[in-house]
Amino acid sequence: MTEQTILAPQAAAETPEALVARLAQAGRAAQRELAKMSDAQKAQALRAAADELRKAEPAILDANAKDIAAGEAKGLTGAMLDRLRLDSARLAGIADAVEQVAGLADPVGEVLSTSERPNGLQLSRVRIPIGLIGIIYESRPNVTADAAALCLRSGNAALLRGGSEALHSNRAIMAAMVAGLTQAGVPEAAIQLMPTQDRAAVGAMLTAAGLIDMIVPRGGKSLVARVQADARVPVLAHLDGICHTYVHAAAGPEMAVRLALNAKMRRTGICGSMETLLLDTQFQASEDVVRGLLEVGCELRGDARAQALDPRILPATAEDWDTEYLDAVLSVAVVDGLDAALDHIAAHSSHHTDVIVTEDAAVAERFLAEVDSAIVMVNASSQFADGGEFGLGAEIGIATGRLHARGPVALEGLTTYKWLVRGTGQARP
């Protein structure tokens, strides 16, 4: 697919509603064809797409350079630019993730349960694709490839609407993906990129009930809030990542320092980055943890007891405990034991990922049981909150709600099920 194909001429003359309806209808038709493809055919198509991504490296990086230049001119933050930026290593990682998805077991057709009724009816629940999935996302060009790969592997069609910050990158990645997929017999409309940045097109996607089966938003709080407020289509929500790390009294000092540094500073702009550090008042090496963060350039904002640990810690406001910084800024509080930590997390967590560092197994088990988040960890960096790290190949997002799917959403989260009933002539009395 060329950029000219993506920017279909009729799109300019259509209303956003007509455009979305046309693309959705094409996607639904393609999904029916996709449903007929075998596991091996879908896997081969994704391997071909990964090969095309690698071949298209010069074009994709050139497109990304345009986006980076435009972002710098707009004054995007360093964290936003980091999310947007591609290089050879990151692009190789994107292609590798597509190939890993190809190697995953196909969830479609999995028999979830079987039973036989007293009247002889045989029942089974079988996993099936959801249908046409709309993905609305902001400045992460890797989402274009990840979402396309996951949707296709799970038998779904996808309609993607990326942010304007990654316009050129998204188009270049989509062109490479579609080139590989169509070579392997996948209908071109199975994976589509919205050909306009008109914000009205987002509204048209959100109200396309009966055409789009599920919306997945990936972006900041304002995007997700708009999607949840306006959608007439089911939404798989990914809220902000206000992730906590609680360093318990029984934490190993060296581990606490190492995990705190990694959880915050490895990549500050991802949703699994730690945003609040809770230090137990009985932990003896709090000064070491704080010092380590300050010395690598992290700004700390703390309560009064945290400020007493180091004069360089700035005072925290009430808003800080509910802020996803996505930058080298961290809230720090000193808490009186596990119960106080659990209370703080319950009050301020976005239910994304929360971590305890401790060598007390009983405390660790209480934390795992009582923290109500999609991902709860013991003695590990919150930066592991990622579908690839969970062995899922990639993720379409991390769902923080309670319904349908939770945590990294990959193939299984992009399926539903249907009941199959086999009879021998039974009529209900």
Side-chain angles (χ1 to χ4, degrees):
M1 176 186 285
T2 65
E3 186 165 302
Q4 285 71 29
T5 306
I6 296 174
L7 296 172
Q10 64 263 45
E14 289 174 305
T15 65
E17 292 75 17
L19 171 63
V20 168
R22 176 172 61 81
L23 297 177
Q25 287 163 357
R28 296 182 76 81
Q31 195 274 326
R32 290 193 294 274
E33 294 301 312
L34 189 62
K36 302 174 187 177
M37 297 182 69
S38 69
D39 177 17
Q41 286 175 307
K42 290 186 289 184
Q44 178 54 38
L46 288 174
R47 293 189 185 99
D51 288 342
E52 290 298 324
L53 284 169
R54 296 182 182 108
K55 292 176 186 176
E57 178 179 327
I60 293 172
L61 295 185
D62 181 65
N64 183 249
K66 295 177 183 177
D67 290 332
I68 291 293
E72 291 173 341
K74 287 181 183 177
L76 295 183
T77 66
M80 288 287 286
L81 289 171
D82 179 63
R83 285 185 172 193
L84 179 59
R85 182 173 283 107
L86 295 176
D87 55 25
S88 293
R90 288 188 179 183
L91 184 56
I94 291 171
D96 290 348
V98 172
E99 200 158 50
Q100 288 166 16
V101 172
L104 296 175
D106 186 354
V108 176
E110 177 188 357
V111 178
L112 302 174
S113 65
T114 60
S115 62
E116 183 172 342
R117 302 296 298 150
N119 62 6
L121 286 177
Q122 296 181 346
L123 280 65
S124 57
R125 285 191 305 129
V126 179
R127 197 178 293 285
I128 62 170
I130 288 173
L132 175 62
I133 298 177
I135 300 100
I136 302 170
Y137 55 108
E138 292 181 336
S139 60
R140 295 178 187 266
N142 65 291
V143 174
T144 302
D146 288 351
L150 288 167
C151 286
L152 188 136
R153 192 72 179 95
S154 54
N156 297 285
L159 178 57
L160 288 77
R161 200 281 189 180
S164 59
E165 301 89 351
L167 175 65
H168 299 93
S169 305
N170 289 338
R171 288 177 177 171
I173 289 171
M174 177 60 72
M177 289 286 295
V178 172
L181 296 176
T182 53
Q183 286 172 25
V186 173
E188 184 171 334
I191 305 295
Q192 300 177 89
L193 182 67
M194 186 69 71
T196 176
Q197 294 304 122
D198 185 349
R199 291 176 63 86
V202 173
M205 290 179 68
L206 298 180
T207 56
L211 291 172
I212 296 176
D213 296 296
M214 184 172 75
I215 293 284
V216 180
R218 287 199 64 177
K221 185 181 292 187
S222 61
L223 169 66
V224 177
R226 182 197 174 187
V227 169
Q228 291 184 313
D230 296 350
R232 300 296 178 267
V233 175
V235 174
L236 188 66
H238 171 131
L239 298 179
D240 37 348
I242 302 177
C243 303
H244 296 73
T245 297
Y246 166 47
V247 180
H248 178 248
E254 185 276 332
M255 181 187 291
V257 172
R258 179 162 45 84
L259 292 185
L261 284 170
N262 185 267
K264 185 61 198 178
M265 300 302 290
R266 173 187 166 271
R267 287 188 68 184
T268 60
I270 66 173
C271 60
S273 174
M274 172 178 63
E275 303 292 17
T276 297
L277 172 65
L278 302 177
L279 296 167
D280 195 292
T281 189
Q282 298 301 314
F283 178 61
Q284 298 300 306
S286 291
E287 293 90 343
D288 295 337
V289 177
V290 165
R291 186 183 310 111
L293 288 161
L294 288 165
E295 287 179 353
V296 295
C298 185
E299 176 184 313
L300 302 186
R301 303 176 185 178
D303 61 10
R305 289 194 292 181
Q307 285 186 277
L309 297 172
D310 193 295
R312 293 171 290 180
I313 299 179
L314 303 174
T317 67
E319 291 75 22
D320 282 309
W321 311 116
D322 300 305
T323 298
E324 183 183 27
Y325 300 110
L326 299 174
D327 204 347
V329 181
L330 179 68
S331 301
V332 184
V334 175
V335 294
D336 295 315
L338 175 61
D339 287 329
L342 292 171
D343 288 344
H344 185 105
I345 291 169
H348 301 287
S349 173
S350 61
H351 308 294
H352 185 294
T353 301
D354 294 300
V355 178
I356 186 172
V357 183
T358 184
E359 296 179 359
D360 186 321
V363 167
E365 291 304 313
R366 267 199 68 195
F367 190 87
L368 290 171
E370 296 183 33
V371 172
D372 179 25
S373 293
I375 304 170
V376 187
M377 298 183 177
V378 175
N379 295 335
S381 168
S382 60
Q383 299 254 343
F384 280 110
D386 175 85
E389 295 296 330
F390 280 32
L392 304 177
E395 67 180 39
I396 207 162
I398 295 183
T400 53
R402 293 175 177 273
L403 299 180
H404 173 59
R406 215 175 185 204
V409 178
L411 297 181
E412 183 178 313
L414 297 177
T415 62
T416 182
Y417 61 82
K418 64 181 177 183
W419 289 90
L420 304 182
V421 181
R422 295 178 172 88
T424 55
Q426 290 90 336
R428 183 171 178 178

